[in-house]
Amino acid sequence: QTDPLDASSALRITAFETYDNSVDLSFTSVPGIQYILHFSSDLENWQTLGAPVQANGNVTRIMPALAPANAFPRFFRISVLP
């Protein structure tokens, strides 16, 4: 988990690339913690993208497939699972 009293302890996007049918995303993580990616076209309605992933190191990379989209822009968020 992140420590709210430590400025260096935060989830940060380290790399992000979108393709026609996928997204390639790397972020800082805590080993053993599970994360899930969501996407939205309007910042109000969010959908899960891919399966939860458990971090094995200090940086985690996920590359879930995207359905071809007519609705752009797409916004992404990462959540920590309990």
Side-chain angles (χ1 to χ4, degrees):
Q1 296 180 350
T2 59
D3 179 352
L5 301 177
D6 181 355
S8 68
S9 175
L11 190 149
R12 290 185 173 85
I13 305 298
T14 58
F16 181 79
E17 188 76 36
T18 58
Y19 304 99
D20 288 339
N21 296 324
S22 67
V23 61
D24 186 351
L25 175 69
S26 297
F27 57 94
T28 58
S29 56
V30 176
I33 299 296
Q34 284 195 323
Y35 299 86
I36 189 77
L37 181 63
H38 299 95
F39 75 97
S40 173
S41 61
D42 60 11
L43 294 174
E44 291 183 20
N45 300 296
W46 292 92
Q47 297 178 348
T48 299
L49 182 58
V53 61
Q54 183 166 324
N56 293 321
N58 293 328
V59 175
T60 297
R61 181 180 183 193
I62 54 177
M63 299 180 352
L66 294 171
N70 298 328
F72 278 94
R74 281 198 177 145
F75 302 95
F76 298 92
R77 71 180 182 191
I78 303 166
S79 300
V80 175
L81 294 176

